[in-house]
Amino acid sequence: MIHHSAEHDAGAVDEYLERELGLRVDALEAGREHSHSAGLPRIEVSPAQGKFLQLLAEITGARRVLEIGTLGGYSTSWLARGVGEAGTVISCEFEPLHASVARENLQRAGLSERVEIKLGAAQGSLDSLLSKRVAPFDLIFIDADKRNNVAYLERAVKLSHPGTVLVLDNVVRSGAVLDDPARHGTQEADVRGIQDSLRWLRDDPRVSATALQTVGVKGWDGFALARVL
């Protein structure tokens, strides 16, 4: 059994790991600061999580990545680094301000040539991709409004090939996933969306999935990881 030390907190450990592993990339951190200055919510992935996404893209040899939820382009930038110069990231974003800031950040990081941001409701953007019969994606990162997770997963599988990796973020929410969604007021639909998406991953025969809890500067949360069969 591993015992927790009261002398340290998870955020400080994250900062230590970022420092010792050299996870902060100056151009990406500048973009993150620009996002905060522009008033975007501070809900982007951490540097460690961003590097995790980059490594997933590299390990799987992904050349086509789909992201649902751009925000300020921080996770987008990590994914763009992961696909390399020959790769492409298509990212869906609902808010015009977020998309505009993300484009500025990607330009600053020298990654804009690898990324296409589709503005509008993600379900509509995904349906458009399906209607155009685009080539399947190798890695799909879902980090948008949680109430629509199942709709995103359904479309993601249709945009995949056998072996495509799906990553669904924020599936624990400080343990809220255990509760009756009605307890969470304005977040009820999001909690219910997370619960429904986990059951969908369990029951859909097209995927094999697991989920892991995480702790750090982003608090207590987790992600689901699936492979399309």
Side-chain angles (χ1 to χ4, degrees):
M1 178 180 292
I2 299 175
H3 296 282
H4 171 71
S5 171
E7 297 176 2
H8 305 293
D9 62 59
V13 172
D14 252 11
E15 292 172 1
Y16 168 79
L17 295 174
E18 291 168 10
R19 183 173 63 252
E20 293 302 304
L21 291 170
L23 299 180
R24 290 181 176 264
V25 178
D26 289 345
L28 272 58
E29 294 307 309
R32 187 156 67 153
E33 288 302 314
H34 176 53
S35 296
H36 297 166
S37 298
L40 273 61
R42 298 173 180 247
I43 55 174
E44 72 280 346
V45 301
S46 70
Q49 292 167 339
K51 184 60 178 288
F52 175 77
L53 291 173
Q54 177 183 327
L55 286 170
L56 272 183
E58 292 172 344
I59 290 166
T60 59
R63 289 296 174 264
R64 285 179 54 78
V65 169
L66 176 62
E67 178 182 51
I68 304 172
T70 313
L71 194 59
Y74 188 68
S75 56
T76 322
S77 297
W78 285 104
L79 290 166
R81 286 163 60 91
V83 298
E85 293 182 2
T88 300
V89 177
I90 294 179
S91 188
C92 304
E93 176 54 49
F94 179 72
E95 295 288 347
L97 174 61
H98 297 181
S100 176
V101 171
R103 290 189 179 103
E104 293 170 0
N105 290 337
L106 290 160
Q107 183 69 39
R108 178 187 292 107
L111 297 166
S112 56
E113 295 299 315
R114 306 180 193 181
V115 179
E116 177 186 356
I117 297 177
K118 291 189 173 294
L119 181 61
Q123 291 188 56
S125 296
L126 298 174
D127 287 340
S128 177
L129 291 173
L130 285 166
S131 68
K132 294 176 181 176
R133 299 183 181 276
V134 298
F137 295 93
D138 308 306
L139 172 65
I140 300 177
F141 179 49
I142 302 173
D143 188 15
D145 54 315
K146 312 310 172 188
R147 63 195 62 195
N148 286 313
N149 272 354
V150 170
Y152 298 148
L153 285 166
E154 284 283 0
R155 289 160 174 79
V157 170
K158 293 176 182 177
L159 289 163
S160 299
H161 57 74
T164 293
V165 173
L166 311 178
V167 182
L168 182 65
D169 204 11
N170 306 127
V171 301
V172 174
R173 306 283 282 221
S174 299
V177 71
L178 294 177
D179 298 336
D180 177 350
R183 291 183 53 192
H184 292 274
T186 58
Q187 297 186 48
E188 177 180 351
D190 289 329
V191 174
R192 194 177 304 280
I194 295 166
Q195 294 172 337
D196 289 345
S197 62
L198 292 172
R199 285 189 286 267
W200 185 94
L201 289 168
R202 177 195 66 197
D203 295 337
D204 196 289
R206 296 171 294 177
V207 298
S208 175
T210 189
L212 297 174
Q213 298 184 78
T214 57
V215 63
V217 293
K218 302 292 294 180
W220 176 26
D221 213 325
F223 64 92
L225 184 70
R227 177 177 180 271
V228 176
L229 302 176

